[in-house]
Amino acid sequence: MIGSDNKATRSTTAVASVIYKWSVTDNIMIFPMMGVGKTQVNNKIGRADESSSNIVQPGVYAMYAFDAGHWLYANPKMTHTLSKPNGFGAKDKYDANTWEVELGGGYMINDWSSAEFKIEHKFANNTSINGVKGKDDTTAWIKYAIYW
């Protein structure tokens, strides 16, 4: 479940997924995934439009685990929105598919902690509002984790 609240919109998305583990070798694992859920967006500017849609999110998580416990992974996925949001005018174009990829890894510092990184990239789709198309978005994360 994820959401946001800013000056223009308030949004919530909830997805439930099933995942299957397939061990190719002792070090290579592939996890096909299929998620279904719902997204809702409330527009705070102008008319108080509200849009909601069911979504489907297929993806695959692939991981290489080093013998020392370190790992690298890739997680490409696509989100398909089943209905067009409210508020799109005649000149607007809506693309129901959004593609994104997450790349990351981790290094076990000792038996109880790790240093991790990930890069998330969301590709702009063909949606355009008033002739303005969205842009790609990239986010990077660095994390230190403690296990107990």
Side-chain angles (χ1 to χ4, degrees), residues 30-51:
I30 298 175
F31 303 85
M33 302 178 292
M34 177 59 78
V36 295
K38 188 169 188 92
T39 185
Q40 181 169 338
V41 178
N42 296 327
N43 183 7
K44 295 180 183 179
I45 298 175
R47 303 185 325 246
D49 289 335
E50 179 179 303
S51 295

Side-chain angles (χ1 to χ4, degrees), residues 59-134:
V60 64
Y61 181 96
M63 182 173 77
Y64 181 84
F66 296 90
D67 291 334
H70 318 308
W71 67 95
L72 294 172
Y73 72 88
N75 183 16
K77 60 187 165 189
M78 187 264 289
T79 303
H80 177 75
T81 306
L82 297 174
S83 60
K84 184 177 181 178
N86 295 331
F88 276 81
K91 294 182 179 179
D92 297 332
K93 180 180 179 184
Y94 180 70
D95 185 352
N97 298 319
T98 303
W99 291 88
E100 55 189 292
V101 66
E102 179 181 326
L103 303 171
Y107 181 86
M108 293 301 297
I109 296 169
N110 50 40
D111 289 342
W112 52 270
S113 68
S114 67
E116 303 174 23
F117 75 95
K118 73 176 176 177
I119 298 169
E120 298 173 330
H121 183 77
K122 190 173 191 177
F123 297 91
N125 62 16
N126 291 320
T127 297
S128 62
I129 300 172
N130 295 323
V132 178
K133 187 178 175 212

